[in-house]
Amino acid sequence: MSRAPQPFDHAVRSDERLVLDAEAVRAWSARTAEALGRERAAIDAINVFPVADGDTGTNLYLTADAAHRAVEAVFAAPGATGDRAPDTADAVRAMAHGALLEARGNSGTILSQLLRGMAGVLAEGADGDHLARALATAASSARAAVAHPEEGTILTVAAAAATGCRDGGTLPDVARRAYEGARTALEATPGQLAVLGAAGVVDAGGQGLVAVLGALLETVTGTAPEALPASPAPAPAAAGTTESCGPGGEGPGYEVLYLLEAEDAAVELLKARLDALGDSLVVVGGDGLWNVHVHVDDAGAAVEAGIEAGRPHRIRITHFAAAPAPEPHRADEAPAHARGERAHRAVVAVLPGEGLAGLCAEAGATTVQARPGEPPAGDDLLAAVRRAHAREVVLLPNDTDLRAAAATAAERARAEGIRVALIPTRAAVQGIAALAVHEPDRSFDEDVVAMTAAAGATRYAELAVAERQSFTSAGVCQAGDVLGLIEGDVAVIGQDLTDTARTVLDRMLQAGGELVTLVVADSAPPGLAATLETHVRRGYLAVDTVTYHAGEGAPPLLIGVE
């Protein structure tokens, strides 16, 4: 076990913060993500409770990284300067909301509720007394979110942090005492939870929370606390007793997570039903949006319970059994393509814009760039299939007008002995969605079905500038008008690209959606992506956004809604 924490000098220095303003929240979120990224592997290594699946550090890091990105989005929003600069309330609410949307695993879900509990109080005030109240609210709300709280976990560490600073004081003093209380409590966790004592480690989630509070302490004092000594690896016998999950094992076989839009009353009924189905139940959130986490044997029943309660989405189901490791590649053996051998499988995609083509190339696709007014011909597509040098090829034309040329190229490639599947993608955003789920290790047919489903579930739109007066399905447009095309048809005619883009987004999201993909060209107005991201975040609670830069040679804006 590590030694007891060293006491701090409690005198307030001139360089210490007395108020947790928006910039301080921004710095705290960045330091938290950095600290958890740095300690991720060490925390993963001591993860033995509630399941020894070695991912607590990773889950905490991913949750914190999402929280930090949400804070950065607030600061990047147009007009976020001067009188309209973000305040503490904006920053802490963004931090909590980002964590809620992307919370991973048991500890990540609890961390998101801790941040939510803090945000509600810090939005009212940001001095030391408010921080003390925020930590108390966070600890109690997180404990209430867990169906069966256990001592010796992140909940115990959170409670100790709140108790340590309950008398309030200056911001630095409260942060110091919260950190000291959390660190002392962490040292005691092996004596509170039998599985930790048997393994000879502290609680992984609790160690992650100490890192979060250490980042807060460094933010308000300017001095990083002494690093925690490295914990030993869990004893093999102890780890082995907890990682046997699934039918015939000691615990449920699946982890199920999803976001849920539902009323409070429906969520209470959902908790009772999920509690009967499994364990490690954590339900966090509020105001109509919740993050649900549970371990079950019947993953389908857990999802069905969510459907009965409201609208679940971003559903993630993980089997606790470890997947077999791939065959190792000899260090002295060159890759197949370098040895002149055909690769097992490849993806060929037609893409507008140099940036988008480069992005997909980095993801492993062989790309064909479509230049304005110069669509690739069948020979170009066949050449790309040959260049991929694979036995199996998935072809993504990403343009309705290229379907015939792509079909011809596929037939010619098949005549050369290459197995080719043509997925009729009609826009680049559909191709991106298909490429995102591509898994070359599964069977060809399964891979094609998954990629086709992902593409088909993505609605698409494009913004363009009219070159001349013409009749459209939305009326007559003049040269210079901005056209918003949804699924290939002109749906909106406007004068300003940003305003038109907002209108198009609203129309697309009326039918629902979980993820908005924005592909922005160099010709788009500065700040367009940030403006649209803010619009989605404010108007659609459970919808996330991702932005790609297409560079030159692409339409000003492409939109995908999954």
Side-chain angles (χ1 to χ4, degrees):
M1 300 301 163
S2 58
R3 62 182 180 280
Q6 300 300 309
F8 289 94
D9 177 5
H10 287 252
V12 178
R13 302 192 311 270
S14 60
D15 60 339
E16 294 181 329
R17 296 176 184 266
L18 296 181
V19 176
L20 195 70
D21 58 17
E23 284 291 350
V25 174
R26 186 184 193 183
W28 176 34
S29 71
R31 285 193 175 101
T32 295
E34 180 183 355
L36 289 172
R38 187 170 58 247
E39 298 184 27
R40 172 168 52 176
I43 296 173
D44 281 344
I46 62 170
N47 171 204
V48 298
F49 180 84
V51 176
D53 50 352
D55 64 357
T56 291
T58 298
N59 288 334
L60 286 168
Y61 165 71
L62 292 173
T63 303
D65 182 61
H68 174 56
R69 284 187 280 110
V71 174
E72 286 298 321
V74 168
F75 279 86
T81 57
D83 293 339
R84 296 182 60 190
D87 58 15
T88 300
D90 294 328
V92 295
R93 285 168 178 158
M95 190 176 181
H97 189 65
L100 176 67
L101 290 181
E102 297 291 340
R104 303 294 183 96
N106 192 70
S107 294
T109 306
I110 293 173
L111 175 61
S112 76
Q113 186 69 359
L114 288 167
L115 293 175
R116 178 181 173 83
M118 293 184 70
V121 178
L122 292 175
E124 301 171 356
D127 57 10
D129 290 340
H130 279 89
L131 177 59
R133 285 175 46 208
L135 290 167
T137 301
S140 61
S141 63
R143 185 172 290 267
V146 178
H148 302 285
E150 295 263 12
E151 295 305 324
T153 66
I154 186 174
L155 298 175
T156 305
V157 176
T163 300
C165 64
R166 62 187 171 191
D167 294 331
T170 67
L171 187 66
D173 191 39
V174 169
R176 287 188 184 101
R177 285 188 279 118
Y179 178 80
E180 290 172 358
R183 185 163 171 172
T184 299
L186 177 67
E187 297 295 326
T189 56
Q192 296 173 297
L193 201 55
V195 66
L196 300 179
V201 297
V202 297
D203 179 63
Q207 182 160 322
L209 181 57
V210 169
V212 174
L213 294 173
L216 176 61
L217 178 62
E218 182 178 359
T219 298
V220 301
T221 66
T223 302
E226 182 182 350
L228 291 173
S231 296
T241 59
T242 57
E243 64 186 357
S244 177
C245 298
E250 293 191 2
Y254 297 92
E255 178 184 60
V256 178
L257 299 98
Y258 49 80
L259 283 178
L260 178 71
E261 293 180 54
E263 300 297 327
D264 291 6
V267 170
E268 290 305 313
L269 293 174
L270 172 66
K271 289 179 182 178
R273 182 169 178 186
L274 291 179
D275 194 27
L277 286 174
D279 58 32
S280 297
L281 174 61
V282 185
V283 180
V284 303
D287 301 321
L289 182 63
W290 310 81
N291 195 308
V292 178
H293 169 280
V294 67
H295 294 172
V296 293
D297 276 329
D298 190 344
V303 175
E304 288 171 8
I307 293 172
E308 291 183 7
R311 179 174 178 265
H313 42 104
R314 297 199 198 181
I315 300 167
R316 294 192 293 268
I317 299 174
T318 304
H319 197 291
F320 286 124
E327 288 292 326
H329 186 76
R330 287 210 327 263
D332 60 348
E333 183 180 32
H337 66 81
R339 301 194 305 270
E341 301 175 10
R342 285 191 181 276
H344 173 56
R345 188 175 307 153
V347 176
V348 173
V350 180
L351 297 159
E354 297 174 358
L356 203 55
L359 175 76
C360 292
E362 289 177 7
T366 297
T367 63
V368 180
Q369 189 171 344
R371 303 184 185 280
E374 300 178 20
D379 287 345
D380 298 320
L381 299 180
L382 178 60
V385 171
R386 291 168 175 164
R387 191 167 69 249
H389 203 60
R391 293 188 294 273
E392 300 171 344
V393 173
V394 180
L395 181 56
L396 306 173
N398 298 334
D399 189 331
T400 303
D401 293 337
L402 288 179
R403 293 268 295 275
T408 299
E411 285 300 322
R412 292 171 64 185
R414 293 182 189 117
E416 297 176 7
I418 304 171
R419 188 179 184 188
V420 180
L422 170 61
I423 298 179
T425 48
R426 296 172 289 172
V429 288
Q430 289 188 326
I432 292 172
L435 187 58
V437 301
H438 166 56
E439 291 186 17
D441 292 333
R442 61 187 167 196
S443 74
F444 186 65
D445 291 337
E446 289 177 339
D447 199 26
V448 170
V449 167
M451 294 176 73
T452 302
T458 303
R459 303 190 303 281
Y460 64 94
E462 173 184 335
L463 267 72
V465 178
E467 296 181 355
R468 63 184 67 85
Q469 183 188 60
S470 60
F471 293 94
T472 75
S473 52
V476 179
C477 71
Q478 306 296 327
D481 283 350
V482 179
L483 306 180
L485 295 87
I486 299 178
E487 305 281 316
D489 292 325
V490 177
V492 180
I493 299 174
Q495 277 67 54
D496 179 79
L497 194 141
T498 301
D499 289 342
T500 306
R502 275 194 288 254
T503 302
V504 169
L505 262 177
D506 288 337
R507 290 200 182 185
M508 296 182 75
L509 289 171
Q510 284 176 356
E514 299 176 11
L515 175 66
V516 170
T517 300
L518 305 173
V519 180
V520 184
D522 287 350
S523 60
L528 175 63
T531 298
L532 297 180
E533 287 173 359
T534 300
H535 181 71
V536 172
R537 185 173 63 252
R538 290 177 176 172
Y540 306 91
L541 280 179
V543 180
D544 203 359
T545 57
V546 60
T547 298
Y548 300 112
H549 295 281
E552 296 182 357
L557 178 67
L558 300 174
I559 301 173
V561 175
E562 297 180 45

